Amino acid sequence: MLYRYLKVLLFFMGSLATYAQGETSNWFFGNGAGITFNNDGTVSSLSGGRINTFEGCASISDGIGNLLLYTDGITVYDRTHNVMQGGSGLYGDPSSTQSAIVVQKPQDPNILYIFTVDTSTFEGDPDRGLSYSVVDMTLNGGNGGITQRNVNLLSDCSEKITAVIKNCSEESIWVVTLGSQDGSEGPFNTYHAFEVSTAGVNTTSVKSTFPGLEILDPRGYLKFSADGKKLASANMAFGLQLYDFDNTTGMVSNQSQVPITAPNKVPYGLEFSPNQRFLYVHTSNNQPAIDETGHSSSLLQFDLTAPNVAASEIEIDRRPIYRGALQLAQNGKIYRTIAENYVRGTSYLGVIESPNELGDAANYNHNAVFLGSGSATQGLPPFIQSYFDRVAIIKNSDGTESTSGEICQGEEFSFEADVIPNATYEWEKDGNPIANTGNTLTISNADLTDAGRYSLSIVPNDASECPIVGEAFIAVNPLPQTPVLNLVQCDVVLNGPADGLTAFNLEEAIVDDAYSYSFYETLSDLNAGNAISNPIGFLNTTPFNQTIYYEIVDSNGCANSGELQLEIQTVVLDPSDEKTFYECEVDPEDTLLAGMFNLDQIRALEYPNDDMAFYATVDDAILEQNPISGNYLSEATTIFARLESGNECQDIDWLNLVVNPTPRLIFEEEILWCTDGPPLPIRAPDGFDSYQWFRKQGSNLEPISTQQDITIASLGTYSLEVGYHYSTNAGVFECYNAVDFEVLPSNKAFIEDIDVTDLADNNMVEVLVSGDGDYEFSLDGINYQDSALFENVDPGFLTLSVRDKNGCGITKQKTTVIGYPKFFTPNGDNINDTWQLIGINEEYQANSLISIYNRYGKLMALISPKTNGWNGTFNNNELPASDYWFKVNLEDERIYRGHFTLKR
C-alpha cells in the first residue's frame, strides 16, 4: 500500500479564528453564472443565479459555506435567489470594475456591510462614489434584509475596492478604495482606508496621499495580498502601481510604478499568489469596447521577491479575448474570466492551477471550468483577502507546494504541525471537530468519506500570541474496478496434436483505454512489481488454461489488481476449408502482378454476422496486430480471418488471394478512315480469349461486335475490350482490359481553285483545296511539299497533284503559267526560230491576240496562240536584229505589254 505524507506548512495569522473559508465558497457573477467550491477542492457550476452584470459583483457565504447573498452593486439577492428585503437601489453599478464587496461585522456574523463604488456610464448618470449599506441576516426568516442603505463615505472615487483584516489583536477590517484627497471629483491620488470594527463603520478614513499620482481613469482592480502587506492597483492606461500596506495603521506607502513590456500593456485584473510571492495581472490591448473583434489579452506574472520586479515579468498566456478579472479561491487556485468583448462573455473560466510556481510551472488552464447556462463577463466577486491567508500549503515530495492533495482509496495520509509547548491543537474536517489534540493527524486506509477540508488551529497558551491556522483540501479518489477478465486465444494447428500453448496479446484484455494496464504472471510478480515485459506475444506456460494477474491504474494514479483468465481454443487449419478469392491484375503495364481485393466486400459476403478481422499473417491474427481491411493491394498470397465472440477467439480461417494477369492491350488511339472509300476494316491484336467492340454514345456503350475483326462505316468514339478467361473451381474468372479509340475522317482533296500569278518576274501558283485529309502538293507528281503555294514557277503547262498523307488518294488538275521568251533567233536552225507566248495554245487562252511592234511603234505582226508564232518578218521580208515590243490581249481580258530581242 502506498503511504502519502502530507506536511501542512502553517503561518502565523491574525484573528482569523473568527472566520472560516466557507465565506468564499459560492461565487455569482456575469450573466447568471455561479460556481461553488467543494470540500475536496473541486469546483461545480451553479444554476439559478439571477445576477446580470458586465463587471462588478460580490458574493458572501457563512463560515460553513452556505450562501447568504450576492449583488451587482445595485440589487441584492438572498440565498433563495430572490431580491432581498429592501435590497434594491444600492449605489453600485454593474459597469463598475469592483462594484461591491461584502464585509462581516466583527464578532457579529448576523450583520453584513455591503460597500459599493459607483460609476457614471452615460451623460446624466450620477457617480455617487463610495457608500455602504447594512444587512441584518436575522430578518425575513433568516434570508436577511437591508436595514440601512447608501450611507455615503466619499462623494466620488474610483471603481476599485478591497479589504483585509487589520491584525490578530483587533478584529477590525480595513476597506480601501482610491479617490481624490478630499473624496470629491478630480484626479485620484489618495488611498482611503475605512475601519470596520465591532462599533461599526468608521466614516473617517485613514488617508495615504501620493502627490505625484494623478489617475484619471477609474477602471481596474485593487487587491491586497492575503497577508495584507502588499497592495496592487491596476489603473488601465495609467499603469500598474505596487505599494506596502501597514495593516496596523491603515497607511499605504512605498509607491512603485511597474512598467509592462508585454504587447498587451493595459492592466485590469489583479491577484496575488497564496504564498504572496507572485503578482498576476490580466492586461489587454484596450481595443474599443464596442468592437466585435480585435481584442487581445495577456496573463502576466511578476516575482515580488526579485530585485527588479518589473524585469521579472513573464507572459503566461496571450489570447484574442477581452480584458477580465482574476480572483484567488479557497482551493489556492486563481480563476480568470474569459470574454469575447464587453457585452459578450463565454461559458468558461480559466484557471492558474499552481499559482505559487514560477512561469509555465504555474500551469494556466484555459476554458477549465464550464459554467453551464451562465457566462462569465469581466468581473469576479472580491472578498476580504485575509480569508485566503489561511489556506494550508502542502509540501510535496518533490519540494513544490500546493494547496490541495489527492490520494487513492485505501492509502494513508498524515498531517504534521510544529510542536509548540503548552499550545492547544484543534483539528476539524469540513467544520466538524476531530477528536485529536496532538500535533499530527493520520488517516489510515482512507475511504471516500475521508475526502474534505482539514483545518488546524494552534492556540498558544499565551493569550497575547496570535493563533496559528492551517488548512488543506484532500480528495480521495476511488480505486478502479477490477472484475475477473477473460481472454480466449486460438492455438493454430497445421498438423499433429495441439499442445495448448500459444501466444497472447494481453492488451486485448484492456476494456477501457482511459486506464493503463500491467500484467503479471504470478501474485509474487504482482507484489514485486515484475510486470510481463512482452504483453504482446506472451506465451502461456500452463497448457489450455492459466490464471495470471493485471494491475489497472487510472488517471489519478490509483491502482488496483485483478485476475486475468487465459483459455486456449484449438484451431486446426484444414486445407479443405480454405477459401479462395480471385482478382485481376491492377496494372498490366508494370512488373508487379498485384490485385486489389475488397476485404470489406469479402467480409460482407462470407462473414455477414461475425465479429472478425483480416490479418496478413497467422501470427498477426493470433496477436490481433496490424489488421487489414478495405481495398487491399496484394500479390498472390494467403491471409487469415480471425473470428471472435465477446473478445474470445473462436476460429481462424485461411483465405487464398489469387491474382490473374490482366490483358496488356496496345492499340492505336486514333484510326483514320477514307470517307470517300469503302468501310474501314479494323483488326484487334491477337492472343486474347474474347473481344468486344462498342460504339460510345456519350456515357453509353453500344455493343457492335464480338469478333476480332470489324468493319466500321461511321465516324466517332469506339471502345475495344479484350479478355483472358481463367478456369477455377467456381467457374470461369475473366479479366478484361479496354481501350478507347477515335475513328477520324480523311479523304482525297477537292481542288476549289488554282490562283496563278504569271507574266511576272516571280510566277506563283497557289492551290485552294477542301477536304478532311492532311494534304501535300506537287507540280511534277514526284516532289511534294506541305505548302500549297509554289513560287518562281517556270511558264508552261502544269499538272498539279494534291496527295492525302493518310493514303486516301491523289487529286490532279492541269493549269498553265503564261510567260514569253526574252529573245529568238530566226536563222533556220530550228532552235528559237519563232517567238510565241508560253503557256497558251489552242486549248488555253486560244482567243488571245498578240500584237508585235518595232521600236517606232509600227505594227509588225498579229499572231494567235493557235500558230507557231512570229518568224521575224514583215511582208515576207526579214526584219533586222533589234528589240521589239508586244501587247497581249488575253482571252481572260487581261492585257500585258512587254518586249523581247530579235537576234540575227
Side-chain angles (χ1 to χ4, degrees):
M1 177 180 292
L2 294 176
Y3 177 82
R4 301 196 181 187
Y5 183 79
L6 307 178
K7 183 177 180 180
V8 181
L9 306 180
L10 305 174
F11 294 85
F12 285 94
M13 306 297 295
S15 57
L16 291 182
T18 307
Y19 302 96
Q21 271 207 345
E23 287 88 350
T24 68
S25 294
N26 301 289
W27 298 4
F28 286 91
F29 52 93
N31 303 125
I35 57 175
T36 186
F37 293 88
N38 305 309
N39 284 331
D40 62 359
T42 59
V43 180
S44 301
S45 63
L46 295 174
S47 60
R50 296 177 59 188
I51 196 168
N52 187 3
T53 173
F54 291 125
E55 299 183 64
C57 55
S59 300
I60 195 70
S61 301
D62 64 20
I64 59 174
N66 297 312
L67 176 67
L68 294 179
L69 63 86
Y70 58 94
T71 180
D72 61 0
I74 295 178
T75 303
V76 183
Y77 299 94
D78 63 24
R79 62 186 178 184
T80 66
H81 303 291
N82 291 311
V83 177
M84 181 173 281
Q85 178 180 302
S88 299
L90 272 64
Y91 285 169
D93 196 295
S95 290
S96 176
T97 303
Q98 292 172 279
S99 179
I101 192 170
V102 183
V103 173
Q104 177 185 313
K105 183 179 181 181
Q107 298 184 6
D108 190 349
N110 291 319
I111 300 299
L112 303 175
Y113 298 102
I114 302 175
F115 289 84
T116 57
V117 283
D118 198 8
T119 190
S120 177
T121 58
F122 56 89
E123 187 175 351
D125 179 24
D127 184 348
R128 298 181 176 91
L130 174 65
S131 304
Y132 75 90
S133 300
V134 183
V135 178
D136 186 343
M137 291 305 302
T138 65
L139 300 179
N140 195 24
N143 292 326
I146 304 291
T147 60
Q148 193 173 9
R149 186 165 49 202
N150 299 324
V151 178
N152 188 254
L153 298 174
L154 296 174
S155 62
D156 188 36
C157 68
S158 64
E159 298 177 7
K160 45 179 61 69
I161 191 167
T162 188
V164 70
I165 297 294
K166 183 175 182 181
N167 54 47
C168 70
S169 60
E170 301 178 50
E171 296 182 359
S172 297
I173 299 163
W174 292 112
V175 177
V176 179
T177 189
L178 173 64
S180 64
Q181 188 170 6
D182 60 1
S184 62
E185 185 176 355
F188 304 134
N189 64 353
T190 300
Y191 289 93
H192 295 264
F194 292 90
E195 184 176 356
V196 181
S197 66
T198 56
V201 178
N202 187 341
T203 58
T204 301
S205 69
V206 176
K207 300 179 182 179
S208 301
T209 300
F210 297 87
L213 185 67
E214 288 192 2
I215 304 299
L216 300 178
D217 191 330
R219 298 171 297 171
Y221 272 76
L222 183 68
K223 282 288 181 74
F224 278 114
S225 61
D227 62 3
K229 295 180 180 179
K230 289 289 184 181
L231 179 68
S233 181
N235 292 291
M236 299 293 286
F238 292 86
L240 172 65
Q241 290 82 38
L242 189 64
Y243 303 89
D244 291 332
F245 183 71
D246 186 335
N247 55 9
T248 300
T249 64
M251 291 297 296
V252 180
S253 62
N254 295 329
Q255 175 176 282
S256 174
Q257 187 80 20
V258 182
I260 294 171
T261 61
N264 299 309
K265 300 181 182 302
V266 180
Y268 183 80
L270 295 171
E271 190 54 276
F272 290 87
S273 63
N275 64 359
Q276 337 291 334
R277 176 181 173 184
F278 299 110
L279 173 65
Y280 291 90
V281 186
H282 191 170
T283 63
S284 77
N285 62 351
N286 205 26
Q287 185 84 357
I290 61 173
D291 289 359
E292 283 284 322
T293 59
H295 301 285
S296 180
S297 287
S298 296
L299 180 59
L300 308 181
Q301 181 195 68
F302 292 91
D303 187 349
L304 303 183
T305 65
N308 185 337
V309 172
S312 71
E313 176 188 315
I314 297 175
E315 188 177 37
I316 302 295
D317 183 74
R318 185 195 308 167
R319 295 179 189 270
I321 59 175
Y322 197 56
R323 71 189 186 203
L326 299 172
Q327 179 59 50
L328 180 61
Q330 61 178 250
N331 61 5
K333 302 178 182 182
I334 295 176
Y335 291 80
R336 176 193 193 187
T337 58
I338 301 171
E340 295 180 7
N341 52 48
Y342 188 82
V343 298
R344 187 167 62 248
T346 71
S347 298
Y348 292 92
L349 293 177
V351 179
I352 305 173
E353 302 280 358
S354 304
N356 286 340
E357 304 302 321
L358 177 65
D360 290 340
N363 189 19
Y364 173 70
N365 186 3
H366 199 66
N367 289 344
V369 178
F370 179 58
L371 301 174
S373 60
S375 63
T377 50
Q378 301 157 64
L380 290 172
F383 298 94
I384 299 173
Q385 285 294 95
S386 306
Y387 287 152
F388 306 110
D389 201 24
R390 61 190 293 115
V391 175
I393 301 174
I394 299 173
K395 176 74 78 173
N396 299 311
S397 59
D398 61 0
T400 61
E401 298 174 350
S402 60
T403 57
S404 59
E406 291 188 25
I407 65 167
C408 299
Q409 183 180 4
E411 292 180 339
E412 179 177 289
F413 66 95
S414 179
F415 298 101
E416 180 179 354
D418 293 337
V419 176
I420 299 178
N422 301 318
T424 301
Y425 292 81
E426 300 173 352
W427 295 90
E428 290 184 352
K429 176 183 177 291
D430 301 334
N432 300 311
I434 299 175
N436 179 44
T437 59
N439 70 306
T440 62
L441 175 65
T442 299
I443 305 296
S444 301
N445 193 23
D447 196 271
L448 300 182
T449 58
D450 291 316
R453 180 172 60 195
Y454 289 83
S455 60
L456 168 63
S457 294
I458 305 175
V459 182
N461 188 46
D462 186 349
S464 65
E465 296 183 15
C466 295
I468 301 172
V469 180
E471 196 165 63
F473 294 89
I474 299 299
V476 179
N477 298 312
L479 299 182
Q481 298 297 308
T482 55
V484 174
L485 302 179
N486 295 279
L487 196 58
V488 178
Q489 181 59 291
C490 290
D491 181 17
V492 178
V493 178
L494 296 176
N495 50 63
D499 60 5
L501 301 176
T502 190
F504 282 83
N505 180 359
L506 301 181
E507 292 184 355
E508 287 299 319
I510 296 175
V511 295
D512 191 339
D513 290 335
Y515 300 89
S516 62
Y517 287 74
S518 301
F519 301 93
Y520 303 86
E521 194 163 354
T522 66
L523 278 174
S524 297
D525 289 337
L526 173 64
N527 294 328
N530 298 323
I532 293 172
S533 60
N534 58 329
I536 301 176
F538 171 73
L539 187 66
N540 62 303
T541 56
T542 302
F544 297 106
N545 292 282
Q546 183 174 345
T547 299
I548 64 173
Y549 304 89
Y550 72 94
E551 182 181 63
I552 179 173
V553 182
D554 64 17
S555 59
N556 296 313
C558 296
N560 205 354
S561 60
E563 291 184 356
L564 172 56
Q565 301 287 346
L566 303 181
E567 180 182 339
I568 287 78
Q569 172 81 24
T570 300
V571 173
V572 178
L573 290 183
D574 187 347
S576 63
D577 293 335
E578 295 177 7
K579 301 175 188 236
T580 302
F581 300 91
Y582 300 91
E583 278 297 341
C584 298
E585 181 183 9
V586 172
D587 187 358
E589 301 299 326
D590 64 17
T591 58
L592 180 68
L593 183 61
M596 186 68 74
F597 293 85
N598 188 336
L599 299 185
D600 292 342
Q601 185 180 67
I602 294 174
R603 176 175 182 162
L605 293 174
E606 299 292 332
Y607 308 98
N609 300 312
D610 294 315
D611 180 8
M612 60 79 61
F614 294 109
Y615 299 90
T617 68
V618 68
D619 289 339
D620 281 352
I622 291 173
L623 298 177
E624 297 183 75
Q625 295 291 290
N626 310 310
I628 56 178
S629 62
N631 291 324
Y632 182 61
L633 181 66
S634 173
E635 298 179 82
T637 189
T638 299
I639 64 172
F640 300 87
R642 177 187 172 105
L643 284 73
E644 292 189 344
S645 176
N647 201 31
E648 298 180 357
C649 183
Q650 300 296 307
D651 198 2
I652 293 180
D653 285 350
W654 183 315
L655 286 72
N656 294 314
L657 305 183
V658 177
V659 181
N660 291 312
T662 295
R664 185 171 183 267
L665 179 57
I666 300 175
F667 200 71
E668 296 181 61
E669 295 181 0
E670 294 181 350
I671 299 177
L672 294 168
W673 173 39
C674 297
T675 55
D676 50 1
L680 174 67
I682 303 177
R683 182 176 179 82
D686 297 328
F688 303 109
D689 297 325
S690 63
Y691 299 88
Q692 179 73 61
W693 301 86
F694 300 92
R695 173 76 184 274
K696 297 190 72 170
Q697 301 285 354
S699 60
N700 297 322
L701 289 176
E702 176 189 344
I704 56 177
S705 178
T706 58
Q707 302 300 312
Q708 185 177 0
D709 295 284
I710 189 175
T711 300
I712 291 177
S714 60
L715 305 172
T717 302
Y718 293 82
S719 182
L720 169 61
E721 181 183 85
V722 297
Y724 288 147
H725 297 175
Y726 301 96
S727 296
T728 70
N729 292 334
V732 176
F733 186 81
E734 301 174 343
C735 291
Y736 295 99
N737 198 359
V739 64
D740 291 342
F741 63 93
E742 296 281 339
V743 175
L744 302 175
S746 192
N747 43 44
K748 291 170 58 177
F750 177 77
I751 298 177
E752 300 281 353
D753 195 8
I754 299 175
D755 187 6
V756 178
T757 301
D758 51 10
L759 291 169
D761 292 335
N762 178 15
N763 296 325
M764 293 185 293
V765 177
E766 185 173 14
V767 187
L768 304 178
V769 300
S770 61
D772 296 316
D774 182 10
Y775 301 114
E776 57 185 356
F777 306 87
S778 175
L779 294 179
D780 59 8
I782 298 173
N783 301 302
Y784 283 86
Q785 65 180 40
D786 290 333
S787 174
L789 176 65
F790 297 89
E791 297 187 79
N792 297 309
V793 179
D794 292 333
F797 297 99
L798 307 173
T799 298
L800 281 169
S801 297
V802 182
R803 182 168 67 186
D804 177 31
K805 294 181 181 181
N806 300 314
C808 290
I810 301 175
T811 302
K812 296 184 178 182
Q813 184 170 322
K814 292 182 179 181
T815 189
T816 181
V817 175
I818 301 175
Y820 62 94
K822 300 298 182 182
F823 66 92
F824 77 112
T825 58
N827 55 14
D829 60 1
N830 294 324
I831 300 174
N832 297 325
D833 281 341
T834 61
W835 184 92
Q836 177 63 284
L837 287 182
I838 304 170
I840 62 174
N841 59 17
E842 64 274 8
E843 295 182 11
Y844 295 94
Q845 304 281 354
N847 295 320
S848 300
L849 179 62
I850 305 167
S851 304
I852 300 174
Y853 302 89
N854 63 13
R855 61 181 180 174
Y856 302 108
K858 182 179 180 181
L859 181 63
M860 296 289 103
L862 291 174
I863 61 176
S864 168
K866 302 175 183 179
T867 67
N868 290 331
W870 182 48
N871 60 7
T873 64
F874 179 74
N875 292 331
N876 293 323
N877 294 316
E878 292 183 352
L879 292 178
S882 182
D883 283 346
Y884 292 85
W885 278 258
F886 68 90
K887 175 184 177 185
V888 181
N889 292 81
L890 294 172
E891 184 178 319
D892 61 11
E893 298 183 351
R894 287 185 294 161
I895 297 175
Y896 183 78
R897 294 178 174 84
H899 65 91
F900 58 91
T901 300
L902 187 156
K903 295 182 179 181
R904 292 288 182 182

